[in-house]
Amino acid sequence: MSAIKEALVQAAEALHISSPAATEKDGTGVQVYVDETQGNDETGDGSKASPFATPVAALLSAGPNSSIFVKKVLVEGEAPAEGVDADGYAPISAAGAKKAKKGYEVALKKQKKAQEQAEKEKEKEGQEDKKLEESKKIVLEEPAGAEPAKKIKIHQGVQNRDKRVKVCGWVHRLRSQKGLTFIVLRDGTGYLQCVLSGKLTQTYDALTLTNESTVEIRGVIKSLPEGKTAPDGHELVADWWQCIGKAPGGDESFTNLVAEGADPSILADRRHLVIRGETASAVLKVRSKVLQAFRAEFEHQGLTEVTPPCMVQTQVEGGSTLFSFDYYGQPAYLTQSSQLYLETCLPSLGDVFCIQESFRAEKSHTRRHLSEYTHLEAELAFLSFDELLAHLEELICGTLERVFADPKTKALIEQLNPNFKMPSRPFMRMDYKDAIKYLNDKKILTDSGEEHKVGDDIAEAAERKMTDDLNVPIFLINFPREIKSFYMKRCPADERFTESVDVLMPGVGEIVGGSMRMSDQKQLLEAYKTEGIDPAPYFWYTDQRKYGTSEHGGYGLGVERFLAWLTNRWTVREASLYPRWTGRCTP
């Protein structure tokens, strides 16, 4: 076969064009048919029964010397024009032939270029395959006479500079440049830039390394010269390394699975991978420090930590939000709050707190609701409502001061929420009735589009709008008794209202709910009756008023809401390790 004929065949194959029905070896005298309306360049073979759609395809299939016949439109009842056969085909016009020839020449050039590129790619692949095969023969050995490597965590890097160390972790970022391989290693305690050079970059594992693979790297940590940057201002100059577990690449690569902007439900399914990211892990690190700071502040204020049960047979916040289950043949529930148990500890342990999970079966899809959340609760004895508010101010501000006193946590918060401002004391006090007036004056309506009235349970959206507009922490106090829990103490001046408080923060809304508790046994029994609650299962709670009652109060703080405010997260789900909400109980 001639070179030109071979090129034509290859061109035809590349464009998925079939050979014509009748051909000659040299391409001379071949008749090829084109029907621009009914033909098909991919499936046609150039016959009348299966014509091409374009003259260019006809030339590519049959060659430059072929005779092209183009289908003309026949008018019904009229004889075909001169040169047009009975089927409507006529030789291509001179202008059409000229245009087809140009298109044919362009197509051949493209084909040639594509072939050359394919050959280059094939050659490159061959070289890479050969390089990979050769790389399998390379065996790394530790430098002769090197001192034993000291095993450290990344956060210990600064105090181990200029020493030979061993660090294990996950490949967080990876790039190659001028014969060097740069790895940003992550072990949960920090990030460390590592540099591989020479033979270390030529092994099979080095050439096929992927993000999220686990590696062990040995070498010396060196300070970076002025003008260069890396985490902690240094890098590990490697002299030996090994891949422990290689993560997949391609479609299954980490960056493909948790790509930025992916569907939230997909990211929720892959939460185990999402938390490896810098933002998610930063939030979880801040969460850890916040819980430590809360505990330290409680200890400073003299409160004792207790651990109440999570399986209960009484309700605290209403039966509609209880998760029920069978407990050895008896009905039981996951706790909504540990408050009632905390109150029983006051006579023996004094002021107490707990940090435990609470469960609410609310079918709420708002950005501040979870079905399982970390509940920080406290109860304090022998105090007034004003003293309870002062305690809450001290708790929140004292905890924040402790958090910001840690340089690493402070840096994380500045990374997540650079505009965060420490709240100033005293917090704004706003009576519930004044809040109703504020909402109406500012034309902030209810969810149904009406003005607010006393007795309304202020909706989340309106409450958050008011808080964001005022842009300061707010103690919203003295709610109507009808919209609050049965155990809340009535206001002495007006028993239609309660000594209750919600702490509202800009950007989130309510993060704390608290109140003084009823101290009078008679009042509590009446409250049971009003709410239609059988007092018998609550005998142990009622006994607190029988065996030496006292004025006391307490509160519950949603840790995820507190963190969403502190770290500027859009939803509380980002502040939970594996968030649970309506319809989501995995992974």
Side-chain angles (χ1 to χ4, degrees), residues 244-382:
I244 299 169
K246 192 168 293 177
D251 292 341
E252 284 192 282
S253 69
F254 175 81
T255 49
N256 280 339
L257 293 182
V258 292
E260 189 176 345
D263 186 278
S265 63
I266 293 175
L267 294 179
D269 287 338
R270 296 168 180 164
R271 180 68 177 167
H272 60 295
L273 297 178
V274 170
I275 60 176
R276 299 184 181 202
E278 290 178 31
T279 298
S281 63
V283 173
L284 294 176
K285 287 174 182 177
V286 172
R287 177 187 171 104
S288 172
K289 290 297 181 182
V290 163
L291 291 175
Q292 289 178 33
F294 270 124
R295 286 189 164 96
E297 183 60 28
F298 276 129
E299 184 176 2
H300 174 71
Q301 294 192 34
L303 279 74
T304 300
E305 184 172 6
V306 294
T307 51
C310 287
M311 296 186 292
V312 300
Q313 291 186 305
T314 51
Q315 66 185 48
V316 181
E317 301 295 337
S320 63
T321 64
L322 285 166
F323 281 108
S324 60
F325 65 95
D326 181 275
Y327 188 73
Y328 302 108
Q330 296 181 339
Y333 315 98
L334 296 176
T335 184
Q336 302 164 310
S337 166
S338 297
Q339 176 209 319
L340 306 188
Y341 294 100
L342 292 179
E343 288 187 52
T344 69
C345 297
L346 295 176
S348 57
L349 301 175
D351 299 341
V352 291
F353 77 96
C354 71
I355 302 177
Q356 298 218 145
E357 299 304 287
S358 282
F359 306 85
R360 301 279 175 91
E362 290 180 276
K363 293 185 178 178
S364 298
H365 288 276
T366 73
R367 59 191 178 99
R368 68 176 194 175
H369 280 91
L370 291 169
S371 297
E372 176 186 1
Y373 65 99
T374 303
H375 208 175
L376 184 151
E377 299 181 86
E379 291 293 321
L380 302 96
F382 301 108

Side-chain angles (χ1 to χ4, degrees), residues 296-500:
E297 183 60 28
F298 276 129
E299 184 176 2
H300 174 71
Q301 294 192 34
L303 279 74
T304 300
E305 184 172 6
V306 294
T307 51
C310 287
M311 296 186 292
V312 300
Q313 291 186 305
T314 51
Q315 66 185 48
V316 181
E317 301 295 337
S320 63
T321 64
L322 285 166
F323 281 108
S324 60
F325 65 95
D326 181 275
Y327 188 73
Y328 302 108
Q330 296 181 339
Y333 315 98
L334 296 176
T335 184
Q336 302 164 310
S337 166
S338 297
Q339 176 209 319
L340 306 188
Y341 294 100
L342 292 179
E343 288 187 52
T344 69
C345 297
L346 295 176
S348 57
L349 301 175
D351 299 341
V352 291
F353 77 96
C354 71
I355 302 177
Q356 298 218 145
E357 299 304 287
S358 282
F359 306 85
R360 301 279 175 91
E362 290 180 276
K363 293 185 178 178
S364 298
H365 288 276
T366 73
R367 59 191 178 99
R368 68 176 194 175
H369 280 91
L370 291 169
S371 297
E372 176 186 1
Y373 65 99
T374 303
H375 208 175
L376 184 151
E377 299 181 86
E379 291 293 321
L380 302 96
F382 301 108
L383 84 169
S384 66
F385 186 45
D386 284 338
E387 288 171 332
L388 177 63
L389 298 183
H391 162 80
L392 277 168
E393 271 183 354
E394 183 64 29
L395 174 71
I396 292 170
C397 294
T399 296
L400 288 172
E401 287 166 5
R402 293 174 188 277
V403 168
F404 276 87
D406 179 70
K408 287 188 176 180
T409 307
K410 182 174 183 287
L412 289 173
I413 295 171
E414 289 172 348
Q415 168 195 326
L416 296 164
N417 189 6
N419 298 319
F420 180 79
K421 292 181 180 177
M422 291 283 281
S424 57
R425 288 180 272 186
F427 292 179
M428 175 187 279
R429 265 75 165 167
M430 177 181 277
D431 189 275
Y432 166 86
K433 295 188 288 293
D434 293 333
I436 294 294
K437 184 177 184 304
Y438 178 94
L439 293 169
N440 290 334
D441 288 347
K442 297 293 183 178
K443 308 298 182 185
I444 302 173
L445 305 177
T446 66
D447 288 346
S448 56
E450 301 173 352
E451 282 201 341
H452 289 83
K453 59 183 183 297
V454 173
D456 286 346
D457 189 358
I458 301 172
E460 176 194 343
E463 180 184 81
R464 197 168 62 242
K465 172 70 172 140
M466 177 182 73
T467 309
D468 290 350
D469 287 350
L470 293 170
N471 199 32
V472 292
I474 301 170
F475 281 146
L476 186 56
I477 58 174
N478 303 334
F479 290 85
R481 58 190 291 183
E482 291 81 12
I483 63 173
K484 285 297 181 180
S485 298
F486 70 90
Y487 51 75
M488 292 189 178
K489 185 182 178 182
R490 314 295 185 234
C491 291
D494 188 345
E495 292 207 349
R496 294 175 302 166
F497 298 89
T498 58
E499 287 191 331
S500 53

Side-chain angles (χ1 to χ4, degrees), residues 143-194:
E147 63 178 276
K150 177 185 177 184
K151 184 179 179 181
I152 67 166
K153 293 289 187 180
I154 288 175
H155 73 96
Q156 299 169 315
V158 173
Q159 59 264 41
N160 284 283
R161 284 178 179 172
D162 300 317
K163 298 175 184 175
R164 189 165 187 267
V165 298
K166 174 174 73 175
V167 185
C168 298
W170 288 260
V171 177
H172 188 65
R173 283 194 292 273
L174 176 68
R175 67 184 174 90
S176 296
Q177 181 182 333
K178 297 179 180 178
L180 301 175
T181 299
F182 294 89
I183 296 171
V184 175
L185 198 62
R186 181 190 75 242
D187 71 351
T189 73
Y191 299 91
L192 176 64
Q193 179 168 289
C194 306

